[in-house]
Every structure is written in C-alpha cells, then in structure tokens.
Amino acid sequence: MIPVALGSRNPNKVRGTELAFRLAGFRVNVISVEPPNDLSPEPIGLSEIINGAVKRARYAINMVQSADFGVGIEAGILRIEGFNEGIDVTIASIIDSDGEITLGMSPGFMVPKRFMNKVLQGIELNNVVSGYYGEPNLGRRYGLVGALTRRFIDRVVLNTEAVYMALIPRMPWNTELFRGS
C-alpha cells in the first residue's frame, strides 16, 4: 500500500482520491490531514485555484513524513469575460517526494448568477448554496453540482476526475512522455 497524504478532511475529497488512485491501478492508503489555515475560502481564477491545490499537496506531504505522494484538491470559480456567471472547476495537484508536481482538472459547470453575485460580495459558495437549498454544509456532501444535477453527478465524481487527470503523467505507460525532453 502506497501512503498518500491528502490536504483535506472532506470525505468527498478522501473518497475521490481513493477512487482515482484505484482506477489508475495504485493500491493506496489515504491519510487525510487538516489543510493549511491560510487558504482562500473561495478561490476565484485559475492561478488561485491551482495555487490552493499545490499548497494543500505540499502541506500534506510535509505533515505525513511516510507519504510517497501529497494530494491537494481545490474547487474554485473561473470568471469568463463577457459572462456574469462563473465556471466551477476542481483542480488536483499531486506532489511526490522528489518535489515533482502534476495537475489535473475536473469538468466545469456554470454557477448560477444569483449565487455568483453573493460570492462576489465575499460570501463563500458553500454558504450561499447551503442557504438556498436549506441544507447545512452541502459542500461536504454532494455539493452544488449534486444539487444542480439532482445528484446525478456529485463532488466525489469531480474530485475523482481531477485526481485521475493529475495521475496521467504518473501512469507507467506515460512516464516516458512526461519526463524532460
């Protein structure tokens, strides 16, 4: 079993990480740790989302000395010029003991304008969504995507896809392609 440190205690992120590694053919033991406390509560923009994922992964691998990999998963909103809505995406970062980082991203979906307006006022998306649907802490369960799709797709799916995409360069048949030229 390969020890993998995850920079989150969110059960959706733990499950998504376990599934992605298993689907990629790795047998892992995911060890979740509290993430660093200086993360943005609602990352907006590609750089902020990626930086949050990388920070979580680095922090996790440093907290679990026995870990072969650190994983960080960060959901956030991409703003698209000319649109009032944002696109919600999940980005995963995987770092190994040599410091090599690989990234992956989930599919994205539009955030409703009424939610986006509140996020731009500084309210965390999870709080907006939980208030609207009347369900506390929706983000730790099926999330906005689950509510919008009537649970056809949930946060576990997006987390799994993001981590799996970040694993592509680490798959044995791909490592030669992703090494230096």
Side-chain angles (χ1 to χ4, degrees), residues 83-86 110-120:
F83 289 85
N84 292 325
E85 300 88 350
M110 291 178 75
V111 177
K113 285 181 201 172
R114 67 174 8 156
F115 296 167
M116 220 28 234
N117 291 336
K118 301 233 183 225
V119 168
L120 294 174

Side-chain angles (χ1 to χ4, degrees), residues 36-44 48-49 52 55-56 74-75 124:
N37 57 9
D38 60 346
L39 294 166
S40 172
E42 192 60 59
I44 297 179
E48 197 170 327
I49 302 167
K55 183 181 255 189
R56 285 172 179 269
E74 191 72 78
E124 191 174 341

Side-chain angles (χ1 to χ4, degrees), residues 60-102:
I61 200 168
N62 288 331
M63 292 298 292
V64 181
Q65 297 298 316
S66 63
D68 289 350
F69 298 104
V71 175
I73 302 171
E74 191 72 78
I77 299 171
L78 301 177
R79 296 293 315 273
I80 310 299
E81 190 173 325
F83 289 85
N84 292 325
E85 300 88 350
I87 303 291
D88 187 296
V89 298
T90 300
I91 294 180
S93 170
I94 302 174
I95 188 168
D96 60 29
S97 54
D98 293 331
E100 181 182 346
I101 296 172
T102 54

